[in-house]
Amino acid sequence: MMSPLVSVIIPVYNVEEYLDKCLNTVIHQNYKNLEIILVDDGSTDNSGDKVDEWAKRDNRIVPLHQNNQGLSAARNMGLDNSHGSWIVFIDSDDYVSENYISTMLQTAQKDNTDLVICQYNKVSNVE
């Protein structure tokens, strides 16, 4: 049985300092059937360039750019361009464990649910 495609939507706005760490944790998930949609929401730093650089490194990454319209509009653009059976939202200044997506997907399938919400740890001054 083929694993379902999971669309990971990451809105990006002026997060060049955090984006690499976030994307490293997403591309190294133990669940590999991912479509990673990066929506640059009119960043004024180098975040938009980083989006394009990452897309060249991993063919699962879909780079999108729009004029600044805010977080909800960026997420909606990601949804409009997604193809997955499942959707995951990750903030661009966050990072996730390597089994984040597989655990969420297994939980949804085991419990026959449409939505899974998890806990988080708040960290500060992370290198």
Side-chain angles (χ1 to χ4, degrees), residues 8-15 19 22 37-41 43 51 70-76 88-93:
V8 180
I9 299 172
I10 305 175
V12 175
Y13 181 74
N14 291 350
V15 288
L19 191 56
C22 174
I37 302 172
L38 302 179
V39 183
D40 170 34
D41 189 38
S43 295
V51 164
L71 180 62
S72 295
R75 286 183 175 157
N76 286 335
V88 173
F89 292 107
I90 297 176
D91 289 341
S92 52
D93 61 345

Side-chain angles (χ1 to χ4, degrees), residues 18-94:
Y18 307 103
L19 191 56
D20 289 339
K21 182 167 188 170
C22 174
L23 290 175
N24 271 312
T25 65
V26 173
I27 66 168
H28 291 105
Q29 289 293 296
N30 61 10
Y31 189 87
K32 300 299 182 192
N33 195 18
L34 303 176
E35 168 187 59
I36 304 163
I37 302 172
L38 302 179
V39 183
D40 170 34
D41 189 38
S43 295
T44 57
D45 65 0
N46 292 318
S47 296
D49 293 335
K50 282 188 173 255
V51 164
D52 294 332
E53 289 170 17
W54 274 97
K56 291 175 186 172
R57 292 186 219 171
D58 191 312
N59 64 3
R60 298 174 298 170
I61 295 177
V62 178
L64 301 174
H65 300 272
Q66 66 180 21
N67 292 329
N68 182 254
Q69 298 176 49
L71 180 62
S72 295
R75 286 183 175 157
N76 286 335
M77 183 181 209
L79 284 170
D80 290 344
N81 289 276
S82 67
H83 301 95
S85 302
W86 293 91
I87 304 291
V88 173
F89 292 107
I90 297 176
D91 289 341
S92 52
D93 61 345
D94 292 342

